[in-house]
Amino acid sequence: MDYLKKIHLILLILIPFALITGPFFPDFIVVISSIFFLIFIFIEKQFFYLRNKFFLFFITWCIYLIIRSLLSENILLSLESSLFHFRFGIFALSIWYALNNYQNFPKLFFFSLITAFIIVILDGYLQYFTNYNIIGFKYDGLRLTGLFGSEQIMGSYLSRMTPILFALLALLKFNNKVSFLVIIFVLTSVDILVFLSGERAAFFYVLMSTILIITLVRNWKFIRIFTFCLSLIAITYITYSSESVKFRMIDQTVKQLNIQNNNNSSSSSKINTFSPQHEAIYVTSLILFKENILFGIGPKMFREKCSTAISSETLRENYKNQDVNMKTINNCSTHPHNTYLQLLVETGIVGTLPLIILSLLVAYLLVKHFTGIIFKRKYLYSDYTICMFAGLCITLWPLIPTGSFFNNWLNVIYFLPIGFLLYRKT
């Protein structure tokens, strides 16, 4: 039993490194650690883990997803997303169990995460300055990927995991000079590297989590203010000195949103939703949503049904007066590129309601905490909890393009802060 627990601990602290390798190893860790967790709680009769409100709510939702898949037009394809989705909820419980039973788990996970960050940071800057990273992946001048290779997710990884890093920093309360210097280096480097990665959504996540942390934490806000100011100075310099970075983060964003034409009187002066391509997919999603408002078309079925909703040619008519490559506008994709739209289309209002409720709950708790600071000079939740909430907010934010909600790699990151929050005391 002790041997299994050591393996369980090692698997969990390897998650930050596993996420760098792609989707297979993180998902493998999720499955194996979840099996170990179930063995432990049944032997030790610690069934309270399975009886908590989060898991009961989550498993009910998972059952709904499976039923909806069984009623879809392509059952086998739909079940690929829904049948074993419950494993991520058990994974969150496994994190909670580790925090309760392995005394050194928070510290070991923190050191694993910050080591993984330093490796990704150094390799990312190597690729930026030399055009190649340590294993030979080339920088194309627009999207910096580092160790993630062809997957343009380096910024997503860093931006989504930073609140967890900051939360563990607050929990462990490091106070020596070396720790401060390392943290300052890592946080500043992350901000700049996310910007250099060209992932605009990821940079928005950095801004959002930074604002939440600076506004709501008690003890570490000045460290974050200092590092963010340093990174903003560097980002401003890079923007004015690098045409490729400026084009990707500024010029291309303005062009895709069609902001430069918003003072014109012509029909082309409308502001686009993120980009014409995203807008085409969103319009298609809303059309499909109307087919089955309550229950949706079934998990993973957007890719099957999008071509029947509206033609790409019809959608391209909206952009004929814009400076847009019409060949890039396609109303079909593997998913709707927005979490809430994906759930509405594929699972309906019934399937989306749990996420909406969770979003409102987190927003309420954060507002409650903020009003407590303003009116009562009282911090209702610990810095650790607030930082984990910030990590959860990145997942729950509705107004930004996202990956597929059922993506294995993303779900490991989605459920990490939930596991840490289940452990929280304040």
Side-chain angles (χ1 to χ4, degrees):
M1 187 71 168
D2 289 340
Y3 180 71
L4 288 181
K5 287 191 174 184
K6 288 180 181 178
I7 296 175
H8 184 234
L9 173 62
I10 292 170
L11 286 174
L12 292 179
I13 63 177
L14 286 177
I15 287 171
F17 291 98
L19 286 166
I20 300 172
T21 66
F24 175 78
F25 284 111
D27 203 21
F28 175 79
I29 290 176
V30 166
V31 173
I32 301 301
S33 64
S34 297
I35 292 172
F36 282 178
F37 162 74
L38 291 174
I39 292 172
F40 298 155
I41 64 167
F42 276 98
I43 291 176
E44 298 166 359
K45 295 182 170 55
Q46 298 188 53
F47 300 115
F48 69 91
Y49 286 103
L50 301 179
R51 295 195 194 105
N52 75 87
K53 293 179 182 178
F54 155 75
F55 187 71
L56 294 174
F57 193 67
F58 175 75
I59 205 68
T60 302
W61 180 68
C62 287
I63 292 170
Y64 166 78
L65 293 181
I66 294 172
I67 293 172
R68 187 62 196 89
S69 290
L70 292 173
L71 298 173
S72 69
E73 294 182 9
N74 190 333
I75 295 173
L76 292 179
L77 176 65
S78 188
L79 283 173
E80 288 179 7
S81 292
S82 60
L83 186 58
F84 296 107
H85 194 72
F86 65 86
R87 69 189 185 276
F88 295 108
I90 299 176
F91 168 66
L93 300 183
S94 179
I95 294 289
W96 182 17
Y97 178 90
L99 288 162
N100 280 337
N101 291 273
Y102 309 144
Q103 185 177 359
N104 291 327
F105 175 67
K107 184 178 291 187
L108 291 173
F109 193 90
F110 174 82
F111 283 122
S112 173
L113 182 55
I114 201 165
T115 303
F117 263 41
I118 291 172
I119 292 172
V120 171
I121 288 167
L122 294 177
D123 183 79
Y125 283 113
L126 177 67
Q127 188 182 51
Y128 178 72
F129 287 112
T130 69
N131 287 328
Y132 290 92
N133 82 326
I134 195 170
I135 53 179
F137 291 122
K138 187 177 180 180
Y139 175 40
D140 65 4
L142 292 177
R143 304 294 293 270
L144 200 64
T145 60
L147 291 169
F148 296 88
S150 60
E151 297 293 329
Q152 298 171 344
I153 54 175
M154 181 178 68
S156 180
Y157 171 80
L158 293 171
S159 61
R160 292 176 183 277
M161 297 293 284
T162 296
I164 298 176
L165 179 75
F166 211 88
L168 292 173
L169 175 67
L171 179 69
L172 297 170
K173 298 177 181 177
F174 292 106
N175 55 14
N176 60 71
K177 292 181 180 179
V178 174
S179 298
F180 277 119
L181 291 174
V182 171
I183 292 299
I184 288 171
F185 165 76
V186 168
L187 292 177
T188 306
S189 300
V190 163
D191 294 343
I192 300 169
L193 197 59
V194 170
F195 186 80
L196 290 175
S197 74
E199 296 176 50
R200 292 167 293 188
F203 189 64
F204 173 80
Y205 294 149
V206 167
L207 294 176
M208 181 171 66
S209 62
T210 298
I211 291 170
L212 287 173
I213 288 171
I214 289 174
T215 305
L216 300 177
V217 302
R218 182 200 296 262
N219 295 319
W220 294 90
K221 65 177 64 189
F222 294 111
I223 287 287
R224 193 62 188 110
I225 291 171
F226 177 70
T227 56
F228 192 59
C229 288
L230 284 180
S231 62
L232 283 181
I233 293 170
I235 286 169
T236 302
Y237 174 77
I238 291 168
T239 302
Y240 282 99
S241 61
S242 173
E243 284 297 322
S244 62
V245 174
K246 179 177 178 291
F247 172 77
R248 171 63 188 169
M249 297 300 287
I250 309 296
D251 299 340
Q252 193 175 53
T253 302
V254 171
K255 179 181 176 181
Q256 289 179 340
L257 291 173
N258 200 36
I259 294 174
Q260 74 271 26
N261 292 325
N262 68 353
N263 292 322
N264 298 341
S265 58
S266 65
S267 60
S268 65
S269 66
K270 77 178 188 68
I271 295 178
N272 299 324
T273 305
F274 302 114
S275 73
Q277 174 58 32
H278 284 102
E279 191 168 85
I281 293 173
Y282 295 162
V283 169
T284 306
S285 301
L286 292 173
I287 293 171
L288 289 174
F289 169 59
K290 292 176 182 177
E291 289 187 10
N292 195 332
I293 293 175
L294 282 179
F295 305 111
I297 61 177
K300 211 171 182 177
M301 292 302 295
F302 178 81
R303 69 188 67 195
E304 294 281 295
K305 301 275 286 181
C306 57
S307 61
T308 66
I310 187 173
S311 69
S312 297
E313 289 74 18
T314 301
L315 290 168
R316 287 169 187 162
E317 287 295 313
N318 296 319
Y319 312 104
K320 61 183 180 180
N321 294 322
Q322 295 185 24
D323 182 17
V324 175
N325 182 356
M326 293 298 177
K327 293 181 180 180
T328 65
I329 301 177
N330 189 336
N331 65 309
C332 272
S333 181
T334 54
H335 58 89
H337 291 270
N338 179 275
T339 294
Y340 290 84
L341 276 178
Q342 182 177 3
L343 288 177
L344 284 171
V345 171
E346 298 185 344
T347 69
I349 291 176
V350 174
T352 312
L353 199 57
L355 194 71
I356 294 173
I357 292 171
L358 180 60
S359 301
L360 293 175
L361 175 61
V362 171
Y364 166 74
L365 294 176
L366 290 175
V367 170
K368 183 180 176 182
H369 181 81
F370 179 70
T371 54
I373 297 172
I374 297 299
F375 297 109
K376 299 179 181 179
R377 301 295 179 186
K378 182 179 180 181
Y379 290 79
L380 299 179
Y381 303 111
S382 66
D383 291 350
Y384 166 84
T385 300
I386 291 299
C387 292
M388 289 299 176
F389 277 152
L392 201 54
C393 283
I394 290 174
T395 299
L396 297 173
W397 185 257
L399 303 177
I400 202 154
T402 64
S404 173
F405 181 77
F406 297 106
N407 178 281
N408 294 349
W409 187 87
L410 280 175
N411 270 278
V412 177
I413 298 179
Y414 287 170
F415 282 84
L416 264 176
I418 293 176
F420 282 102
L421 279 169
L422 289 170
Y423 168 75
R424 73 179 182 87
K425 296 188 170 51
T426 56

